[in-house]
Amino acid sequence: MTQQLLSPVTLGDLELPNRVAHAPMTRTRAEADGTPTALMAEYYSQRASAGLLIAEATAVSDNSISWQNMPGAFKPQHVEGWKLTTDAVHGKGGKIFLQIWHPGRATHSLLNNGQHPVAPSPIPITGDQIHTPEGKKDYETPNEITTDEIKRIVADFKQAALYAEQANFDGVEIHGANGYLIDQFLQTVTNQRSDSYGGSIENRYRFLDEVVNAVLEVYPANRVGVRLAPNGVYNDMGSPEFREQFLYAGKQLDRYGLAYLHVMDGLAFGFHEKGDPLELSEFRKVFGGTLMGNCGYTKEAAEARIVEGNADLIAFGIPFISTPDLVERFAQNLPLNPELGQEHWYGDGAAKGYTDQPTAQEAGIS
Ligand code: PHB
């Protein structure tokens, strides 16, 4: 049987050998100052047979850190550190984008040198806590972001894209998902502003649009992706008007000729239950470019989604943590490694549960 999932696809001006993407995942293996390490280069290069690697969420400034040992793209030494990764991936013929983010309210002043979190409206995350250098803490009530701060953060996204370009990333993915700052602007549950950034679907989309335009001053549109999570509950999200809001965003983003729109359509990361889940087929009607699905997909489900015409690529997260040669396993119908538990996802620099996962050959099953 022909496997569409393993067939080549054109992404902007890039020819990808298959439609399996590595989803961005926070793994906390950078230096304390956010400098990416040789261990991270090893991790990504082990997975370079993915059609596209999307590297983990990366801070755009020194007030957008939400994990100790997460990487940054806001200092020259971050560029040098990331070059280890891009060199290693390119050396194996792979392609890699960097995901750039600002967490908004989903961080803590203890992670950001005392700088208080900002968000569209002063509404804290409830029902969960955040890891800080002083242990787990309740989320703080964020300060309502000013228009001057909005301008500065948009400029930070542009600067992060410049650093990504200097580090030879093939492109960048703007993180508009999972309850981080861009998503906080998009949704009424976190955005109750009455200025030009809130109060209507168009206004709530404005911040994302400004970030996209800033990043397009650095990378051509066909090297820029955007990730959205219309169905997610993570970080206390989920708004009644999610369907209209996210389809509006998809329609607006369609004008740019982006590399792709990456939608977490699956419900494996939690579902807000504010209506029927928003599906890729609905995005297909408003977004004419490349669509990437994600979240909880098996090989079979990914294949079905591509064959039915509602996705061009599928990003895999958890399966890639434990199985570095995921593409070869799919191609040869081999079983995957046992899934690593959540205790290994975040690692404060450790190789254990990160670069120590065997290929099929190493596991003696090929
Ligand atoms: C996380 O660190 O838990 C995290 C980061 C980025 C995401 C989702 C989760 O998009």
Side-chain angles (χ1 to χ4, degrees):
M1 184 189 86
T2 317
Q3 289 187 20
Q4 292 299 318
L5 181 62
L6 300 176
S7 67
V9 63
T10 305
L11 189 81
D13 60 339
L14 300 173
E15 298 297 329
L16 309 184
N18 61 68
R19 295 154 185 267
V20 177
H22 173 286
M25 285 177 287
T26 296
R27 305 302 308 280
T28 63
R29 264 74 175 187
E31 306 278 2
D33 74 346
T35 302
T37 58
L39 188 71
M40 292 165 64
E42 188 185 343
Y43 170 86
Y44 286 112
S45 70
Q46 287 174 339
R47 289 155 179 79
S49 56
L52 182 70
L53 290 161
I54 307 165
E56 64 215 77
T58 294
V60 298
S61 62
D62 72 354
N63 64 13
S64 58
I65 295 157
S66 76
W67 283 93
Q68 287 178 276
N69 297 96
M70 70 170 280
F74 58 88
K75 289 181 184 171
Q77 60 262 42
H78 297 158
V79 173
E80 296 314 308
W82 276 125
K83 277 186 182 163
L84 302 175
T85 287
T86 56
D87 281 353
V89 169
H90 292 152
K92 286 192 168 181
K95 298 277 186 281
I96 184 162
F97 276 35
L98 182 66
Q99 192 193 50
I100 51 178
W101 85 336
H102 193 296
R105 68 176 186 164
T107 184
H108 196 281
S109 53
L110 287 170
L111 288 158
N112 292 286
N113 299 313
Q115 297 174 88
H116 199 82
V118 291
S121 300
I123 305 166
I125 295 177
T126 56
D128 201 2
Q129 289 190 311
I130 178 160
H131 289 275
T132 78
E134 296 177 15
K136 279 196 130 187
K137 301 270 182 201
D138 286 343
Y139 282 95
E140 296 161 308
T141 300
N143 291 337
E144 183 174 301
I145 194 167
T146 64
T147 42
D148 279 352
E149 284 166 329
I150 290 174
K151 285 200 185 78
R152 203 196 60 228
I153 293 175
V154 169
D156 288 340
F157 271 95
K158 178 178 172 185
Q159 179 60 53
L162 276 166
Y163 280 142
E165 190 192 38
Q166 285 170 22
N168 301 321
F169 278 98
D170 298 293
V172 289
E173 177 176 285
I174 296 168
H175 192 343
N178 295 337
Y180 296 109
L181 185 59
I182 291 172
D183 200 16
Q184 290 161 32
F185 269 98
L186 286 170
Q187 299 206 36
T188 52
V189 70
T190 38
N191 182 348
Q192 296 178 1
R193 297 174 76 91
S194 52
D195 65 0
S196 61
Y197 290 93
S200 67
I201 285 178
E202 294 79 7
N203 283 354
R204 287 191 296 274
Y205 168 76
R206 189 177 312 282
F207 179 65
L208 170 54
D209 202 56
E210 289 181 0
V211 171
V212 169
N213 277 296
V215 170
L216 292 183
E217 289 174 27
V218 180
Y219 276 97
N222 63 4
R223 297 297 188 98
V224 176
V226 172
R227 192 181 205 209
L228 299 174
N231 300 321
V233 72
Y234 187 73
N235 278 327
D236 221 2
M237 298 306 284
S239 305
E241 48 289 280
F242 71 101
R243 177 162 265 102
E244 303 91 284
Q245 184 71 53
F246 283 98
L247 291 176
Y248 176 82
K251 189 165 185 194
Q252 295 304 307
L253 293 169
D254 188 46
R255 295 174 299 151
Y256 290 109
L258 298 177
Y260 61 83
L261 180 60
H262 181 177
V263 180
M264 293 178 70
D265 59 307
L267 309 181
F269 204 47
F271 175 39
H272 53 55
E273 299 183 357
K274 301 283 177 196
D276 291 338
L278 187 43
E279 296 189 355
L280 287 177
S281 55
E282 297 171 80
F283 278 99
R284 260 298 191 234
K285 295 194 186 112
V286 297
F287 186 82
T290 298
L291 262 185
M292 190 186 305
N294 168 242
C295 210
Y297 275 89
T298 59
K299 173 187 163 189
E300 291 74 23
E303 179 73 15
R305 193 66 86 243
I306 292 170
V307 168
E308 77 194 18
N310 287 323
D312 303 293
L313 291 101
I314 298 291
F316 292 84
I318 292 170
F320 251 129
I321 290 181
S322 52
T323 305
D325 55 338
L326 189 65
V327 171
E328 291 79 5
R329 304 270 185 124
F330 284 166
Q332 295 166 35
N333 275 322
L334 293 172
L336 309 186
N337 292 337
E339 268 181 19
L340 276 171
Q342 203 162 351
E343 67 276 16
H344 295 290
W345 295 0
Y346 310 102
D348 295 339
K352 190 167 161 39
Y354 189 54
T355 48
D356 60 353
Q357 299 304 293
T359 60
Q361 199 176 12
E362 287 161 352
I365 57 168
S366 60

